[in-house]
Amino acid sequence: MSGKTESLTGPILLMRGIGKQFPGVVALDGVDFRLLPGEVHALMGENGAGKSTLIKVLTGVYEIDAGTIELSGQQVAFSSPLAAQQAGISTVYQEVNLCTNLSVAENIFIGREPRRRGRIDWKRMRARASELLAGLGIDLDVSTPLSSHSLAVQQMVAIARAVDIEARVLILDEPTSSLDAGEVEQLFDVMRALKAQGIAILFVSHFLDQIYEIADRMTILRNGRLVGEYLTRELPQVELVAKMIGQVLADLEKLHGEARAFDEPLVQAQALGRAGAVEPFTLTIHEGEVVGLAGLLGSGRTEAARLLFGADHATGGQVVYGGEPAALRSPRAAMQRKIAFLSEDRKRDGLVPELTVRENIILALQATRGWTRPVPREQQDKLVAKYIAALKISPAHPEIPVRNLSGGNQQKVLLARWLILEPRLLILDEPTRGIDVGAKAEIQRLVVELSDGGVAVLFISAELEEVLRLSHKVGVLRDRRLVAVLPNDDELTTEALMETIARGGAR
Amino acid sequence: GATSATSSGDDTITMGFSQVGAESGWRTANTKSVQDSAKNAGVTLKFSDAQQKQENQIKALRSFIQQKVDIIAFSPVVESGWDTVLQEAKRANIPVILTDRAVDSKDTTLYKTFLGSDFVEEGKKAGQWLVEEYKSSTDPVNIVELQGTTGSAPANDRKAGFLEVVGADPKFKIIATQTGDFTRAKGKEVMEAFLKSNPDIDVLYAHNDDMGLGAIEAIEGAGKVPGKDIKIITVDAVKDGMQALADGKINFIVECSPLLGPQLMDLAKKVLKGEQVPPRVVTEETTFTQEQAKEVLSTRQY
Amino acid sequence: MSIATLPKATAATLTNPRYVPVLVTFGLFLAMFVAGGLRYEGFFSGQIILNAFIDNAFLLVVAVGMTFVILTGGIDLSVGSVVALSTMIAASLMAGPGWPPYVVVPLVLLIGATLGAVMGFIIHVFEIQPFIVTLAGMFLARGLCYTIGTDSIKIDDPTFTAFAQTQIDLFAGLWISPSVLIALAVVAVGAYVLHYTRLGRSVYAVGGSEQSALLMGLSVGRTKIAVYTISGFCSALGGVLLSFYMLSGYGLHAVGMELDAIAAVVIGGTLLTGGSGLLIGTVLGVLVLHLIQTIISFEGTLSSWWTKIFIGLLLFVFILLQRVFSMRRPRRSP
Amino acid sequence: MRRLLWPLVILALLLLVNVVFTPNFLSIQMRDGHLYGSLIDILRFGAPLMLVSLGMTLVIATGGIDLSVGSVVAISGALACLQISQDAGVAWAVALALGLSVLLGAWNGFLVATVGIQPIIATLILMVAGRGLAQLITDGQIITIVNPAYKLIGGGYLLAVPFGILLVLAVLAVTAFLVRRLALGLLIEAVGGNAEASRLAGVRSKGIIIVVYAFAALCAGLAGLMISSNVSSADGNNAGLWIELDAILAVVIGGTSLLGGRFSLGGTILGALIIQTLTTTIYSIGVPPETTLLFKALVVTVVCLIQSPAFRAKVLGRRRRPPAPGPVPGEKVRVSA
Ligand SMILES: Nc1ncnc2c1ncn2[C@@H]1O[C@H](COP(=O)(O)OP(=O)(O)OP(=O)(O)O)[C@@H](O)[C@H]1O
Ligand SMILES: Nc1ncnc2c1ncn2[C@@H]1O[C@H](COP(=O)(O)OP(=O)(O)OP(=O)(O)O)[C@@H](O)[C@H]1O
Ligand SMILES: [Mg+2]
Ligand SMILES: [Mg+2]
C-alpha cells in the first residue's frame, strides 16, 4: 500500500462490486473503483474492457445490476445523467454527445443558460462561451451552429461545457482522441487548475504518454474485471501495457517510413480546392506511398481528404487518377477508382448503428456491386470473420448491432469496411482514434503492409509521431492551405514538423 | 328583396356557390347540375369546393363577400354555425339561398330561401314501405342497417326518420347497424361481416345506393339471393341503383334528387328581381318500386 | 428568431442561414400575393390579409402547438380530433346544463392539456412512437365526440356569441376578430418560450439529438411531456376559437386538421426530423395554405377535382421555389 | 422471430374475442367451390392494406413516409375501370394503371431524393392532387363495369382460394426476395439508418429512394385494382381514403420504426392483419358506430403498450432490481502495488 496521495478526507467516489450485463456480454463484473479529491485518475484498459460502461453506470445512463456507489460517503443511484450532474458529477462521454443543430454557445450552456429577469440572456451567454473557449485556446464565432465545426472543435466544446459546470467530479472519457498536441496541453492546463481546486478527475485515454503526463493514479480493467489500482509513477509503461492486454507486447518495432523515390503517380490533386473549406492545393500520391497530413485543429486536413474522395464537390482544380483526369462527383465515383475513405467522425459519417457488425463491414462492398448483385453469404461470413480476427474486434460476433460495440471496436469495424474493398488509395482520417495501444500498433503495421503491397495511403492523424512513423512524405496544412510537402528524411522530427505547422512555410 | 350592391353594373348575375365537396357520385351529380344550369341560365358561377369542411365553406363565403358576388348559394355541411358569416353577407347586401339542407339559425332573415330534400322524410318513406311490406306478417323482422358517414347529416336524419316509423312496431328489430361510409367497398365489407355473425337477416336498409350495391355483392357471395332472401331498401336512386332495382336485386329506393340546378337558378333570378319566394322549396322526389324502376330506367339522367 | 427580434433584423441576420428559409418563404408569399392581386379583381385588399388571420386563427394556434412537437422530432396526430372534442364539450355544456362560458372554456383547455400530457407521458415513459400514441389519441378524442352526440350542437350562449361576433374595427373599414388577437398572442408567447426559456431551448436540443440531450443532462422526459401538453392545450384553445368561428360543436369539425397543421409547420421550414425551425415560419405556412385556398376561390371556375389538382400544383410550385432559393445549405449537414 | 411474438399474441387475442362472440368464427367452409368464412374475409379484405403496407414499409425504412398511396389507389382503380368501360382489354388496362402508378411513385421519389423536399410534403402534393386526378378520370362519378376477368383480381378465386390472397403472397415473396435475397434490404436499411454514412460508403441512395417510392406506388396501384375489382366499380372520391394512415399504423405495429432503418416485412403483414381483424371484430361483435373509434383507440393503445418493452418491464413485472447488497463489510478495496 502506498498512499502518498491518499487524502485524509477519503474518497469522494467509491464504487464497489459493480456488475453490468448486456444481453450476451458481461461488461462489468465485480469492479471496485474509487476516486480521491484533487487527483487525476486514469481508467485504463483495452477496447471493450468496460471503461465507458463503468462511467455510464456511474452517471445514471445505465442501471447497475450489482454493486453500490457512494458519493462523499453517501450511497447514490442516479436515475439519469441530469441527476448525476446535479449531484456534482460533470461528464464528457466518449462519443461527442452534443446537439449539432444548436449553436456553439448553446451547447456549452444549455440547461444552465445565464438568465436575466427570467429570460435567457443571449448576449451574456455568447460572451461567456467565447471567453471559455478562449481559455482552451479556441477562437471561433460561438453563434455558429456546432454542425459547421470539425469533430475536434466539437470535442473542445464538450470539454468546455463539462469544465464549466460546477462539479466535484469531472469525468473525461477519451477527450483527447482527436485533439492534437496543442489542444491536449491546453486541456491539461485546465485539468491541473481544477485539480488544484480539489476536484477529482476521471480520465480515459489510450495515449500512454498523456496518462503519464497527467494522471496520479490509475485503475486498470480487463474484460470487465478489475486488474488493480496503481500509482502512475510506480508502474512502468511496459508493465501497464502488460496488465492491460494480459501479455507483454512485443516492442514496437521501428516502422519508420523513409523518403524514397516512387515512379508511378497514382493520384494527383491539381489545384484542387473548395471555396470556404480548403485553398487549392497540389499533391501527388504514388503507388505504395504513404503520405501523411499534419496540421492544427481545423487546418483543413479533413476537407482536403474529402475532396480527394468526392465527398464534397471541388470548386476548382481537378484530380488526375492513373494519368487521366477523374471527375469525382460522388464517393461512389471515387470508389469505382478504388479509392477508400475512413472518415474521422464515425458516429456521423461512418456507422449505421442499427445494422450488425457484418452488415456494416460489407456495406461499402455491397454498395459498389449495387443491390442486384448481393455478396454471397458465405463470402460475407468469410470476409467478416477474417477481419474480426485480424483487427481483434470484440465481441467477435458478427451478428450484433454495431451500436453495442465499444468505441474502439466500432472504429475497427469501419476500418474493416474499407479494407475488404482492397483499395488502391486508402484515405485514413484519424484511423487510430479511440483505439487501444495493442490495436494501434496492429493498424500501423497494417498500413506498412499495404504500402509494401503497392497501396497508396493518405494518413491523417493528430498524433505527429504516428504520422512520422508511417509516412514517406508529409503534407502540412495551415489555415486551410497546404503550406509544405516535406520528405520524411532524418531531419524531419516532430519538433521540426511542429515548427513548420506553427510557422506555416517550408523549412 | 335586396338589390345587390354589385360593382358590376351589367346584367349578368354572378353567383357564388359553395359545395360541400365531391365525396360521392350523388354530390358530383349535384355539382354538375348546378354548373350546367348556371351556364344555361347565363349566370356566372363562382364555384368553390369545401372538401367536406365547414370551415372551408365559411372561408369560401367570406371570399364571395370579398369578391362582391350578386348572390350566394351553398349546401351547408351541417346545420349549425352559420350565423356569423351569414350576418356578414347580410351586411354586405348579398342574398343567400340554401340548397340541399337547412341551417338552424333563429334569424330567418339571414337567408332568402331553402331548396332541397328532407332526409328525415326519406328515412320515413323507407320505413313506411317496410311497414307496408310486412303488414300481414307477425314474425319478427330482422333488419340490418348500413349507415352513412358517422355524424353526417344524411346519416343522422335517414336513421332517425326510419327509426321513427319502424320503431313503432316491436316486430321490427334492428339487429345490427354499422357505418359503411356511403361507399360500395365498405358496404360490401360490413355486409360480409353481418352475414357471418347474423344468420337470419330479413331486411337491409342502406343509407345510399352505393352501400346497397356493395352489400348485394356480399349477399350473393354468401350464396343468398338479394331482393328475395334479404329485402333491400336504399336511398338516392342513382343509375346503378335503379338498374339493380329493375333487376330485382333491390326492393325499394327512396329518391333523393341531386338535380337542383334549374330550380336554383330560377330562385336566384327571382330573388335578385325582388320577387317573393317561398321560404322553403322542397325538391320533387319520389320513391321507386321494382316495377316503376323498369319503366323509368331509360329516362334517368344520372 | 422570434417576432420580438424581427424588427431589429439587420443585414447580418438577413444572411444568417437560419433565417434564409423563412425569408425565402416570406418572399414567395409576397410574390404569390402580388400575382393574385394582379390577376383577380378585389384581391388586393387589406381585408384579404386580415381574413387570412380571421379564417385561420384556430389553425394558427393548433400549428403553434404542432411546431413545438415537431421541433422535438415528434408528431401529434390528435390535434384535429381534440379541436373537435373541444367544440363538442363546449357546445354541449353550454347548450345542455347551460354552464357559463367562463367555466366551460377553462375546463375545455384543461381537458385538452391533460389529454396531451397523458399522451406525452405514454410516449416518454413507455418509449412508444409518437405517431401511434397520438393516433390512438386521435381515435379517442373523435370517439368521445360521437359519444357526446352525432349531431352538430348549436351554441347560443349570449356572452359567447357576442364575443364571437365582435368585430374589432381597425381603419378604413378593415376589421379583425378577437380570435385573431388571441392567436397572435399565442404565437408571440410561443416564440418567446422557444427563444427565451430553457424549456424552449431544450425543445430544440431534444429534436437535435435525444440521446445527446439526455447525456448533456437535460430532462428529456419533462420536455417531451411538456410539448405534448402544449400541443394539447393549443388544440383545445384552437377548438375554442373554432367554436367562436362556427358557433357550434360537432364531431366532424376539423377532420384532417392535423395534416393542415403539419403541412403549415413543414412549409414554414421546420424539419420534420426535429431540431430546426422557427415559429414565424409556421405563421407563414398557415398564410400560404390560406392564400392557395383564396386564389382558388377567386378563380372560381374550377371543378372539385381541378380544385384539388390546382392546390397540389400550387403547393408544388411553392415548395420547389422555396427549395431552389434556399439551396445554400451548410456543407456537412446531410 | 422474437420480434413478431407480441404482434402475434395480439392477433391471437383479437381472434379469441371474436370466437367468444361468434363461436363459429374460425370455421372455414367450402361454398360454391371456394373457401368461405370470417378468416378468409379478413385475409381478403385485408389484402389491399397488406399490399399498401408492404410498400410503405420500405419507404419508412428509408426514413421517409408516403401519404399519397391512398390517391394512387384511387387513380389506379379509376384508370383501369375507365379503360375497361371503354372496351379496352383487361391486360392493357391493368398494365396502364400499374404503369401510371409506378410513374407517380417515381415522381415522389424524385422530389424526395433529387429535389430534396421533405417526404411528408413531397407526397402530400400527390395526395391532394392525385385525389383530384382520380376524380378527373372518373368525372366524379362511380364507373361500374362488368368484366369477369377483371373481377378475378379482387373478387375472384383461384383453386378455391381468393385471388387477392394469392396476389399478396406473390408480392410478399417478390419483396422478400428483393430485400433479403438481393441486397436491396441492406441498402435501404443503411440509407434509413444513416444517410450520410451510406453516401460515403458509396450507396446510391437517390436511386434507392426512387425505387422504393416507385415500389410503394406499385403496391398501392395493385391494391387499387383489387379494391375496384372487388366491387366492380371505381370510386375516385373514396377509394383508398385514409388507407395511408392504416398502412403506417400497420408498419409501426409490425415493429418498424418511423425513424427509418431496420424493417420487418413479416411484422408489417401481421400489423395489417391486426388492423383488418380489428375492423372485422367491430362489425361482427356489433360495436355501435358511435363508439367504434373509442374501441379502436382502446385496442391501439393496448397493442402499443403490450408491444413496448419499456411497458412490459415497468408495469408487467420485472420491476427494477433493488440495489444488490454491498460487499462484505471489512473487505477493503483492492489496491495493489
Ligand atoms: N448498449 C450495449 N449493449 C450491449 N453491449 C454493450 C453495450 N454497451 C457496451 N457493450 C459491451 O460492453 C463491453 C464494454 O464496452 P465499453 O464501451 O465499456 O468499452 P471501453 O472500455 O469503453 O472500450 P473503448 O476503449 O473501445 O471505448 C463491450 O464488449 C461492449 O461490446
Ligand atoms: N460545414 C462547414 N461549414 C463551415 N466551416 C466548416 C464546415 N465544416 C468544417 N468547417 C471548418 O473548416 C475548417 C477545416 O476543418 P477540417 O475538419 O478539415 O479540419 P482538420 O484539419 O481535419 O482538423 P480537425 O479534424 O483536427 O479539426 C475548420 O475550421 C472547420 O471549423
Ligand atoms: Mg469507451
Ligand atoms: Mg479532421
Side-chain angles (χ1 to χ4, degrees), chain A residues 140 144-154 178-180 183 274 276-278 294-306 344 348 429-430 460-462 477 479-480, chain C residues 329-333:
Chain A
L140 48 76
T144 49
L146 189 70
S147 59
S148 62
H149 297 284
S150 72
L151 188 64
V153 171
Q154 295 185 15
S178 49
L179 300 186
D180 54 37
E183 279 73 43
R274 177 179 161 84
V278 232
L296 294 178
L297 177 148
S299 56
R301 292 162 297 178
T302 299
E303 312 271 354
R306 287 175 65 95
E344 66 177 337
R348 186 177 60 186
D429 194 357
E430 312 275 2
I460 304 174
S461 172
L477 282 107
D479 293 339
R480 305 178 188 184
Chain C
R329 310 192 67 201
R331 185 203 66 163
R332 273 178 187 176
S333 45

Side-chain angles (χ1 to χ4, degrees), chain B residues 7 21-22 28 31 35 45-49 51 53-56 58-60 62-64 66-67 77-84 87-88 91 104-106 149-153 156-157, chain C residues 41-42 45 47-48 51 54-56 58 146 150-154 156 165 167 175 244-248 250 252-255 257 260 290 293 297-300 302-305 307-308 311:
Chain B
S7 55
T28 44
T31 305
Q35 283 173 327
L45 190 73
K46 289 270 179 191
F47 174 79
S48 167
D49 180 309
Q51 301 172 42
K53 289 187 205 163
Q54 186 179 12
E55 55 266 35
N56 284 354
I58 295 183
K59 285 177 201 170
R62 280 241 161 76
S63 116
F64 291 151
Q66 204 68 37
Q67 294 175 56
V77 177
V78 279
E79 287 179 340
S80 324
W82 301 98
D83 292 27
T84 319
Q87 236 139 34
E88 278 170 41
R91 235 175 286 149
D104 67 356
S105 180
K106 280 202 204 87
T149 309
T150 309
S152 69
N156 289 344
D157 292 355
Chain C
E41 196 186 332
S45 76
Q47 194 60 38
I48 285 276
N51 275 353
I54 296 169
D55 292 336
N56 289 293
F58 47 91
Y146 297 150
T150 49
D151 282 317
S152 98
I153 304 173
K154 191 175 157 67
D156 38 22
Q165 291 175 348
Q167 294 198 354
W175 62 277
F244 287 146
Y245 191 70
M246 308 274 216
L247 284 176
S248 71
Y250 187 34
L252 283 177
H253 273 333
V255 170
M257 190 189 273
D260 290 341
H290 177 83
Q293 254 183 10
S297 92
F298 267 82
E299 185 69 36
L302 299 173
S303 64
S304 297
W305 29 98
T307 301
K308 290 185 180 127
I311 292 178

